[in-house]
Amino acid sequence: MSLPLRITFEGEDYTYTILTKKIDRETSEIKISLNGEELTIFRNGSGEWDALERTITDPHGLLKAIARNVALRYRLK
C-alpha cells in the first residue's frame, strides 16, 4: 500500500491512497481508497481519466480532480 496523498478541493483537504501496485502508460484502471471506500478511476473512450463509481457524499468533481491528479503524478496520458 502506498503512502496517503493529499488534495485540496474547493478549500477542503482530502486524503486518498492508491491501491494499485503497478502503474504505467498502459494502465487503464487504478484503484484508490478515499474516506475508507475503495473506488476505481479509469480512462474513458476520449482518453480522459474519470471515476467509475459515484457516491452521494463526495462533492461534485472531487473524484475527477483526484483522477486528474493521479494521471499527472504518473505521467499518464
Side-chain angles (χ1 to χ4, degrees):
M1 191 180 296
S2 68
L3 294 173
L5 301 169
R6 295 180 60 208
I7 188 170
T8 301
F9 183 75
E10 295 181 351
E12 297 278 331
D13 288 333
Y14 297 92
T15 304
Y16 64 96
T17 305
I18 298 175
L19 302 175
T20 302
K21 298 293 182 195
K22 183 178 184 250
I23 299 174
D24 57 18
R25 289 200 173 274
E26 284 74 41
T27 302
S28 61
E29 285 190 359
I30 300 171
K31 298 248 187 236
I32 64 168
S33 174
L34 175 66
N35 297 331
E37 293 182 55
E38 188 173 314
L39 304 168
T40 304
I41 55 177
F42 72 103
R43 187 184 329 229
N44 62 20
S46 61
E48 296 177 357
W49 287 89
D50 201 1
L52 190 61
E53 300 95 351
R54 300 281 183 203
T55 60
I56 295 171
T57 59
D58 293 330
H60 180 67
L62 173 62
L63 295 176
K64 192 160 184 114
I66 290 173
R68 190 171 43 250
N69 191 22
V70 170
L72 289 172
R73 173 178 292 275
Y74 288 97
R75 297 182 181 177
L76 304 173
K77 199 60 180 171

